[in-house]
Amino acid sequence: ATVLEIRASSPINPDVIRASRPSWPAMEYDSAYDKPIVGPTVQVTTMGIEGNASGFPTHISDTINRAILLFNEPTYATLKDKFPDAAESLVRGGFGENLVVNHPNFVPSEVCVGDKYQIGNVVCMVTGPRAPCPKVDGWHGVKGMTAYCRENGLAGYFMKVLQEGTFSVGDEVVLLERKYPGYSIERIAQGLWGPSEVKDDSLEFLTTLANMEELIGRHYRETAQTRLDRIEGRTD
């Protein structure tokens, strides 16, 4: 995969966004969803790309595990097929991502939690699928995109920075290690948040996620642990 674009911004008042996106949801906190292009070379720390920040309270409290949001450009074509009315807004930057890459195999069914990648001299680790909030529907002016992306791991991948440094547009995204080959972004998203026909309540799946230190805790490991406790409580 190759880095096509790098984006970063600080949070802005939601009224500013709503001026151009009337369907933007009413929220009490600022948002950094609308990110301009930066670079071509940027400094990267454990807190993410220099100059980038989040206004979402959950992300602020767990910035290290959500330091970078990566998005694979072919996903936009997939979403345009599903939501043709939003085709004009389904372009780079349409998910508030930091990195846009392009590779046919860098898809939710292939990328796994715990994967370590080198980009420039930065080493990052995938910590989970993004579980998008209603801002996705609001930005694109359609209903159902948020849920569809959440259930299928199509809203981007969160990454933790293990080695600080710099990366640039044009850098290759090189896989260094894959610790959990059976736990792809797609499997975790569908297993945690998918409809009943794909949701996974098996003890193996929930136990693995609950104990997977590489996976984001809040809303991810905690969800798995809550469901595991409930199931084990029924079987006692």
Side-chain angles (χ1 to χ4, degrees):
T2 303
V3 176
L4 300 179
E5 268 185 9
I6 305 171
R7 292 172 173 265
S9 73
S10 297
I12 61 174
N13 189 289
D15 291 338
V16 176
I17 301 176
R18 200 171 293 111
S20 59
R21 305 279 177 173
S23 55
W24 188 257
M27 294 182 173
E28 296 179 355
Y29 52 85
D30 294 349
S31 174
Y33 195 104
D34 190 9
K35 292 179 172 62
I37 296 172
V38 296
T41 299
V42 294
Q43 189 73 36
V44 183
T45 72
T46 56
M47 301 300 285
I49 295 170
E50 190 174 66
N52 189 70
S54 175
F56 190 46
T58 299
H59 293 186
I60 293 172
S61 66
D62 192 29
T63 299
I64 289 177
N65 288 311
R66 309 168 195 249
I68 295 173
L69 179 63
L70 183 147
F71 201 92
N72 190 30
E73 187 171 54
T75 302
Y76 281 118
T78 299
L79 293 174
K80 285 178 182 178
D81 289 340
K82 180 69 176 178
F83 300 95
D85 291 345
E88 290 187 7
S89 62
L90 285 167
V91 294
R92 295 178 189 174
F95 273 75
E97 64 267 30
N98 298 118
L99 281 183
V100 183
V101 303
N102 185 14
H103 195 282
N105 294 329
F106 212 75
V107 293
S109 60
E110 297 289 336
V111 176
C112 299
V113 168
D115 282 0
K116 294 179 182 178
Y117 293 92
Q118 182 164 343
I119 313 172
N121 61 8
V122 177
V123 177
C124 302
M125 179 181 71
V126 177
T127 55
R130 177 190 182 187
C133 68
K135 289 183 290 187
V136 170
D137 281 4
W139 183 266
H140 297 286
V142 297
K143 293 183 178 180
M145 189 182 296
T146 295
Y148 182 77
C149 290
R150 180 175 58 247
E151 293 169 1
N152 294 283
L154 293 171
Y157 320 138
F158 280 125
M159 304 184 86
K160 179 178 184 177
V161 176
L162 303 179
Q163 176 178 298
E164 299 180 338
T166 60
F167 52 56
S168 306
V169 172
D171 283 345
E172 292 297 312
V173 182
V174 180
L175 178 64
L176 301 178
E177 179 185 344
R178 173 158 289 162
K179 186 175 180 180
Y180 301 102
Y183 287 83
S184 68
I185 290 291
E186 181 181 73
R187 182 183 179 191
I188 289 176
Q190 291 181 345
L192 285 179
W193 308 306
S196 58
E197 60 267 23
V198 295
K199 186 173 287 186
D200 193 342
D201 273 331
S202 68
L203 293 179
E204 177 187 4
F205 176 77
L206 295 175
T207 300
T208 300
L209 263 59
N211 292 284
M212 189 182 287
E213 294 182 356
E214 294 83 355
L215 181 65
I216 294 170
R218 187 175 181 184
H219 301 319
Y220 297 72
R221 287 202 319 268
E222 291 178 2
T223 297
Q225 186 63 58
T226 298
R227 280 165 51 185
L228 185 62
D229 292 344
R230 186 171 64 244
I231 291 170
E232 291 180 334
R234 287 203 303 263
T235 57
D236 288 343

